[in-house]
Amino acid sequence: MEKRPQLVPTMALFCLLLSACSDNDSTPLTQHLTPATPATINICSDIATQFNFKDTVITSSEMVSAGKVEYSSTESYSAPDHCVVKGYMNERIGLGSSGEADTKYAIGFEMRLPKDWNGRFYYQANGGLDGSVSKAVGRLIFAGGADSAALNSGFAVISSDAGHPSPAPQFGFDPQARLDYGYNAVAELTPMAKSLIKIAYGKLPDRSYFAGCSNGGRHTMMAASRYAEMYDGFIVGNPGLHLPNAAVSQLYGAQQYSTLVTYNPDGSDILATLQTAITQEEFGVVSQQILKQCDALDGLADGMVNNTYTCQKEFDLDRDVPTCSEGRNGTCLSAEQKQVLSNIMAGPHNSQTGESLYMQTFHMM
Ligand SMILES: [Ca+2]
């Protein structure tokens, strides 16, 4: 079993975020780690035959040349020469939407292993309801844009479908699929991925990081709370938590926006119509005013609001955003729009008890 001082680097990351974990600068609370050491890939196409791990099937492994990886129709990422490994774990038959055991499940994954590796491992947690294996480019986190995503920065990256196929919502009928989606896929995939890395490069990763946004942020929070010993750092982006309640909140938002629009009688283009409730231009007016009130609250006027707690106190929608006096023109919000936005930010409440059903904001300690 792998044993390394995991808590120390994790604390280091938190200390960086909090700016001050010690009131005595001469007494560091953390130790410096030795740098991760790079390695060159040993094998790629032979991984399928040489890698053995419990309940794991490698379906393909091949080297691809440096170039762009098409992540989606609108997103592509630069990548170095690397090995693409595809496979799945824990194949089984589980419950489908009919309630019968008639659906094939597995934890599908893809790993992308750079020929010249930086010695580090990156778990790319994906968004939405999962259900398909997004390309393991190591997206989302790195500030330099697509060219500085994890794969192109030399990390070995894994991505997975979190244990179920598409269409995604039907996995809810199967208890094991719910566990895999909730947290267990990470527990299954992480030791497998590290073992595969050892085969590919001749050594385990020196550092391992876990990152994602939205549902990926939720995965990251779950991994940090359940599997902290497997990773050295967690990068959480906009985590979706308590998802059933979040769904209620989203539906409440749709109800609120719908009060501002008139639908076509035939019901066509419902979503497009909903998006006219508050246009991107009008949201832009709101965001500019939030920036104006809050950007510098974190000590640096850099276009990013990082002191969100104080911002929630300082920003006043009614006061800070112009109210349209003669119809909407893209530079103001109507009184009705302001009310809808206020309602949405307050979130849905139990009509009997007044209890909030879903928190819209997270207060940092
Ligand atoms: Ca700022």
Side-chain angles (χ1 to χ4, degrees):
M1 180 176 284
E2 184 185 0
K3 283 206 166 207
R4 292 186 291 120
Q6 303 285 355
L7 270 180
V8 172
T10 304
M11 282 299 295
L13 178 63
F14 287 138
C15 286
L16 282 172
L17 293 171
L18 294 174
S19 301
C21 283
S22 168
D23 56 9
N24 182 350
D25 289 341
S26 64
T27 311
L29 292 175
T30 58
Q31 66 187 52
H32 284 285
L33 297 167
T34 55
T37 54
T40 303
I41 200 162
N42 291 323
I43 61 169
C44 177
S45 58
D46 289 340
I47 285 176
T49 53
Q50 295 196 19
F51 180 62
N52 288 304
F53 198 89
K54 184 174 181 294
D55 298 323
T56 302
V57 175
I58 303 297
T59 53
S60 67
S61 55
E62 61 173 351
M63 284 299 295
V64 296
S65 300
K68 290 285 185 185
V69 175
E70 297 296 324
Y71 182 85
S72 70
S73 60
T74 57
E75 264 184 84
S76 65
Y77 289 82
S78 299
D81 291 341
H82 67 280
C83 179
V84 183
V85 183
K86 297 182 179 182
Y88 57 85
M89 301 184 74
N90 301 1
E91 186 178 35
R92 64 192 175 82
I93 299 296
L95 298 178
S97 56
S98 66
E100 300 294 324
D102 60 2
T103 300
K104 185 182 286 186
Y105 289 93
I107 303 172
F109 66 86
E110 173 181 292
M111 292 186 71
R112 290 185 183 250
L113 310 171
K115 175 170 165 279
D116 297 314
W117 179 46
N118 66 15
R120 295 183 282 181
F121 170 52
Y122 182 96
Y123 190 114
Q124 172 187 305
N126 297 308
L129 290 172
D130 290 296
S132 60
V133 181
S134 299
K135 289 179 180 169
V137 293
R139 72 193 284 266
L140 291 176
I141 297 302
F142 293 83
D147 288 347
S148 62
L151 175 61
N152 206 38
S153 299
F155 288 76
V157 182
I158 191 169
S159 167
S160 95
D161 61 11
H164 59 266
S166 292
Q170 280 83 333
F171 78 87
F173 286 94
D174 186 79
Q176 183 60 48
R178 294 201 300 271
L179 290 179
D180 288 341
Y181 171 74
Y183 53 85
N184 186 59
V186 174
E188 301 290 321
L189 288 165
T190 302
M192 183 281 300
K194 290 183 178 180
S195 180
L196 195 147
I197 284 171
K198 189 173 182 184
I199 289 285
Y201 297 104
K203 68 164 195 166
L204 290 165
D206 297 312
R207 304 281 179 273
S208 299
Y209 301 95
F210 199 108
C213 189
S214 190
N215 174 56
R218 182 196 64 77
H219 276 302
T220 311
M221 293 289 279
M222 294 301 285
S225 60
R226 286 178 175 267
Y227 310 119
E229 76 284 1
M230 294 182 181
Y231 288 90
D232 299 290
F234 299 91
I235 309 171
V236 184
N238 299 343
L241 300 174
H242 306 295
L243 294 186
N245 290 1
V248 171
S249 182
Q250 286 183 326
L251 290 173
Y252 174 73
Q255 285 180 334
Q256 287 290 315
Y257 286 128
S258 71
T259 65
L260 296 171
V261 300
T262 303
Y263 293 101
N264 295 332
D266 65 0
S268 61
D269 295 330
I270 286 179
L271 187 58
T273 306
L274 209 54
Q275 288 171 342
T276 66
I278 299 175
T279 64
Q280 284 300 310
E281 190 179 22
E282 290 165 333
F283 272 123
V285 173
V286 177
S287 66
Q288 284 304 313
Q289 292 304 316
I290 291 173
L291 270 180
K292 189 175 171 184
Q293 294 295 330
C294 300
D295 188 352
L297 293 176
D298 54 29
L300 185 64
D302 56 355
M304 294 188 288
V305 176
N306 289 316
N307 189 345
T308 53
Y309 181 56
T310 303
C311 182
Q312 287 159 21
K313 295 178 180 171
E314 296 290 323
F315 176 72
D316 185 309
L317 181 65
D318 264 335
R319 182 197 63 204
D320 297 329
V321 173
T323 305
C324 303
S325 53
E326 297 178 9
R328 291 163 55 182
N329 60 16
T331 65
C332 53
L333 291 189
S334 69
E336 293 77 16
Q337 286 177 304
K338 285 188 172 183
Q339 187 60 55
V340 161
L341 209 48
S342 296
N343 291 347
I344 290 172
M345 293 312 294
H349 288 71
N350 183 309
S351 59
Q352 301 294 316
T353 65
E355 176 193 7
S356 174
L357 298 179
Y358 186 69
M359 285 183 66
Q360 297 284 339
T361 55
F362 295 92
H363 293 175
M364 290 185 70
M365 296 296 288

